[in-house]
Amino acid sequence: MNHRVNTLRQQSLSTPVTLSHERACLVTEFYKTRVSPTQSVPVQRALCLSHILSNKAVFIGEQELIVGERGPVPSAVPTYPEVCLHSLSDLDILDSRPKVPYRVSDETKRIYREEIIPFWEGKTIREKIFSAMTPAWKRSFEAGIFTEFQEQRSPGHTAGGTLIYTNGFWDLKEKIRTAMDELDVTADPGALDRREVLTSLDIAADALIGFAGRHADVLDTMAHETTDPERKAELERMAAVCRRVPAHAPETFHEALQYYWFLHVGVITELNPWDAYNPGRLDQNLYPFYKRDIEEGRLTREEAKELLCCFWVKFHNHPAPPKVGVTAKESNTYVDFCLINLGGVTADNRDGVNDLTYLVLDVIEEMRLLQPSSMIQVSRKNPDRFIKRALKIVGTGFGQPSIFNTDAIVQEMAIHGKSPDDTRLAGASGCVEAGVFGKEAYILTGYFNLPKILEITLNNGRDPRTGELIGLETGDPKDFDTFADFFNAWERQVRHFVNIKITGSNMIEQINARFMPVPLLSLVTEDCIRNGKDYNQGGARYNTAYIQGVGMGSITDCLSAVKHHVYDNKTFDMATLLDALASDFENNDILHHQLLKAPKYGNDDEAADEVLRKVFDAYYGAVTGQPNTRGGVYRINLLPTTCHVYFGEVTGALPDGRKKGLPLSEGISPVQGADCCGPTAVLNSAAKIDHLKTGGTLLNQKFLPQFLESDKGRTAVVQLIRSYFKMDGHHIQFNVVDAKTLRKAQEDPESYRDLIVRVAGYSDYFINLTPALQEEIINRTAHSGM
Amino acid sequence: MTNYSPYIFRIQRYSIHDGPGIRTTLFFQGCPLRCRWCHNPESHGRPERLPEGEMPGLVAGLVREIEKDLIYYDDSGGGVTFSGGEPLCQPDLLAALLAACREREIHTCLDTSGDAPAAVLERTAPAADLVLYDIKAVDVRLHERITGKPSDRILENLVRLEGLGVPYRLRFPLIPGYTDSGENISEILDFLVAHTTCRDIHILPYHNTAEAKYRQLNMTPPRITTPPEPAAIEAAARRFRDCGFKVTIGG
């Protein structure tokens, strides 16, 4: 790492995260003074973005090569009062909480008290959403049956495609003009709406070109003022880059990176979309520029690496927007889920691993930053050495990169009627969510608590925590004669809650479509221009909505235990089980032990895995294919982020022997500690569901560090991955750290500040996790090669 | 399925140190030796007598377990390893399993100390795809002191194995204070150079992961507490390399 990169990296790591009022003030000013009732909402939103980008501070750091910050300075995180409004107590908690704080100055608090809160109270999207939800939705939401992704952040969940590498914003403006010319006002009743959307996209394009121009001006001034001839030349070059992109299609590696970065800052300034924004298939997108620059002698490999390192620091400068309604206890993460994809196949379906892929892997290893997250796509066409190179980084205990199955992703996409060319541009973003980059709005709507629904079923529709009837009255479980009857009751409850969830989500989609369009994101998402529709209105080529099932391992083990003990072996009856659950197994050691000994998922045990398949089919059947309001359908994926901890807190004792309040299993990983036959058994069990029917599954494996130390160990893991992927597994990630180290870190957090672990679809600093999550990670079974 | 635990005390999937690729290792109950550093003291008890007529059921059940990881064997060039204990202690079961695997084209390794009657070796070894043959010491008295049995039958069987034409690879456990003396290594080299053609040896450095097992079994753990130093491992490896051996550290 050279001096520049080291300095920028250290600065980024040591800068405390602060909350900035800059954006909130500009948005408020805009809506107070510049909105006219004659403007359509899309145009208002575009003008609002333009107002922010024309007036926000331009920051250019010493030694930077890639420029552009969302806040006035690095790690200063803006707020989005039009979506959700921080209360003064939120600000106090964010400022003072020991883990993952956002420092809030007294000045910011004053501005919030005097200007922001009085203006936005009652006008936020969050309030619109909650007032539009039905009582049934609210009861389920409060009971912890599901969460809602859009209550604090706008829909995003997308990654940039290839469009910007061949089109400057002037080209896109030309396309907008053509689309406007083609509007048929006499025959198309939506023509006016389309014109307004297209106008908003055009304004957004100008706004970002202007923002880049402001950077170019400042860079010119700095170049003029500096006495260092080397830096002067750099600043002049950077200014020239900022005058070219995003207005024009990039011609060099540097321009391509800077173009993406302006777009990234623009998208996350426009609103606070989930997973920020994402350059997607970085090595594929940049390779033509890299190759040409190197061949034509404009760039060396070292210079390319330096630019990439500077690019990496920019992601790290942008922590996730802070949540509202926070409790002091609740920790959070600075990670904003931008997931860089490497490898996989090219657009014409050949091995996509190239020299730049390996260079980016070097950057990931050297930078060792939480953000951006990284993953490798593994196709059967990719060479083993590529996987091994990635495993060397995994072996350093950094939790990155995670590993995805390109061949599965392509099929997951193809199943839903996408064109073959588009499926090869697909990847995974966020944690593990699959989509066609640049052409698909695949919106995550919320986590779905499958085990909690079993608890509701065991209580005939009531939530034992509150006594409230929130589900269907499917009958007293003591009256079910067969396991099939029992399972059927659970499945009916699942359908009931899925329908509540979908009704709510469809309403939320319409709220965002009508009140919170995103002109800039729409500009760069195909086919919003052609359709004359915003991203949030279904303008993208493909429009998917995902509901993320949580607790597959837990629910499988619960149902397996009931089947095994109550129905098959009649070890005890349902009444005895219900009593034991109600008392959290108090004075019921024998029964508790029997439950723990029932067949468990993750051991390649058909008795348990057959239940898994039934669970999967039930959840898949309840969700998949239901229409959303953007012209697409709902689909499932199976990932928890950290929600398995929250869902566990609201769920009582369960028939798998899990005690009240403890975390559920995460992703499709087995219940923590329930797997005891090694990794091949876990993978075999996990492969018994049809991953191709999902939009992503998450499998966490904890390995001891020795596992990846030797070449033989890494080779074996490569083969393990190949076999899992041959069985259509979607994703696997490795936590490589031993329990002893984690215990030491709990005792002495200060000495383990840099210890990074894989949580679920992302990595985080171990000491920043809540105690419950720390325990959960320690309890995941560690495999060793025997 | 017949309960296999009186005969096979453990099945370890994802074994990567007992032969090529990803393997499933079946640990046979029973062992004629009492190596002072034994990692599997639970194998010491004699296997139960298999009741009349139970063999087909037992084998079928074990083959089902083995077949669970076929996909990993195929991708990695792995297979199944019969270890122990001493698999040659249960020749009928071993022969049946070897035959069943060959029929199914599953690669087999026989991991043996070689301490068995000649007829048993001759019956089973040719049915395996690869034999992993332990050599611990040549000197009869040293061997007896560290394993409880003299070395002569083991060395004879090694020569016999050579004659059978079965592919094999040697394994030398490097145990501080027991097998690591320069003299012992010299004697082993002399023997191998004089009597065998295999020049592929794996040095298995002692590791003390079995201590907890001994405590659980109320047995006294081995007195060796520290694995050999990397320098000592390298020195031993060099001795073998100098005599033309391909040396691998670990399984």
Side-chain angles (χ1 to χ4, degrees), chain A residues 453-461 472-493 559 562 566-568 570 572-575 578:
Chain A
I453 295 175
L454 183 74
E455 191 185 25
I456 305 286
T457 314
L458 287 166
N459 290 280
N460 194 11
L472 300 172
E473 287 180 290
T474 43
D476 185 335
K478 296 196 278 289
D479 299 337
F480 296 133
D481 292 333
T482 64
F483 176 70
D485 292 344
F486 176 71
F487 186 88
N488 184 39
W490 175 76
E491 185 169 1
R492 282 179 59 208
Q493 300 279 9
L559 290 164
V562 170
V566 177
Y567 294 101
D568 292 353
K570 306 201 173 6
F572 40 76
D573 60 15
M574 187 64 87
L578 292 174

Side-chain angles (χ1 to χ4, degrees), chain A residues 654-670:
Chain A
L654 288 173
D656 65 343
R658 172 195 150 285
K659 291 193 173 176
K660 182 179 173 179
L662 294 178
L664 304 175
S665 66
E666 46 78 30
I668 57 164
S669 313

Side-chain angles (χ1 to χ4, degrees), chain A residues 604 679-681 683-684 707 712 716-717 719-720 723 726-727 785-786, chain B residues 10 12-19 22 68-69 71-72 75-76 251:
Chain A
D604 204 2
T680 58
L683 301 190
N684 284 354
F707 211 87
K712 181 163 188 180
V717 175
Q719 287 148 354
L720 193 70
S723 297
K726 207 188 252 183
M727 296 186 282
M786 296 302 286
Chain B
R10 190 153 53 96
Q12 173 74 49
R13 294 164 71 173
Y14 199 66
S15 294
I16 61 169
H17 299 302
D18 295 322
I22 295 175
K68 283 182 170 176
D69 282 354
I71 190 166
Y72 305 93
D75 280 348
S76 67

Side-chain angles (χ1 to χ4, degrees), chain A residues 530-541:
Chain A
R530 194 160 76 194
N531 293 331
K533 274 181 163 181
D534 189 87
Y535 181 90
N536 282 346
Q537 295 171 334
R541 186 170 304 171

Side-chain angles (χ1 to χ4, degrees), chain A residues 759-774:
Chain A
V759 182
Y762 73 104
S763 296
D764 211 338
Y765 290 112
F766 184 72
I767 64 161
N768 278 351
L769 305 176
T770 59
L773 203 52
Q774 289 182 348

Side-chain angles (χ1 to χ4, degrees), chain A residues 10-23:
Chain A
Q10 283 306 329
Q11 276 171 357
S12 190
L13 282 170
S14 59
T15 308
V17 176
T18 56
L19 189 144
S20 159
H21 57 256
E22 183 187 54
R23 184 185 181 282

Side-chain angles (χ1 to χ4, degrees), chain A residues 324-463:
Chain A
V324 305
V326 286
T327 61
K329 203 179 85 182
E330 185 182 3
S331 132
N332 221 308
T333 179
Y334 292 137
V335 175
D336 211 8
F337 299 98
C338 168
L339 183 63
I340 304 249
N341 285 226
L342 297 173
V345 292
T346 60
D348 54 356
N349 204 19
R350 288 174 295 116
D351 172 13
V353 173
N354 56 48
D355 183 38
L356 185 60
T357 315
Y358 288 106
L359 187 64
V360 177
L361 285 168
D362 291 347
V363 169
I364 291 165
E365 185 170 42
E366 271 183 43
M367 294 306 277
R368 211 178 164 80
L369 291 171
L370 280 190
Q371 296 209 85
S373 275
S374 58
M375 65 89 123
I376 59 165
Q377 284 198 25
V378 173
S379 154
R380 56 184 184 273
K381 293 177 182 171
N382 297 141
D384 282 355
R385 60 185 61 73
F386 162 56
I387 313 175
K388 265 161 102 172
R389 175 69 189 94
L391 286 176
K392 267 192 191 165
I393 306 175
V394 172
T396 64
F398 166 49
Q400 286 189 31
S402 51
I403 299 161
F404 286 76
N405 183 355
T406 302
D407 306 316
I409 289 174
V410 167
Q411 290 178 81
E412 287 160 19
M413 297 293 102
I415 278 175
H416 286 263
K418 292 164 185 160
S419 84
D421 286 348
D422 286 348
T423 62
R424 279 153 203 156
L425 302 172
S429 63
C431 289
V432 299
E433 304 87 278
V436 174
F437 290 174
K439 295 178 178 168
E440 180 169 11
Y442 44 111
I443 311 298
L444 271 65
T445 62
Y447 298 109
F448 195 77
N449 192 343
L450 294 162
K452 175 82 188 173
I453 295 175
L454 183 74
E455 191 185 25
I456 305 286
T457 314
L458 287 166
N459 290 280
N460 194 11
R462 284 182 195 277
D463 182 359

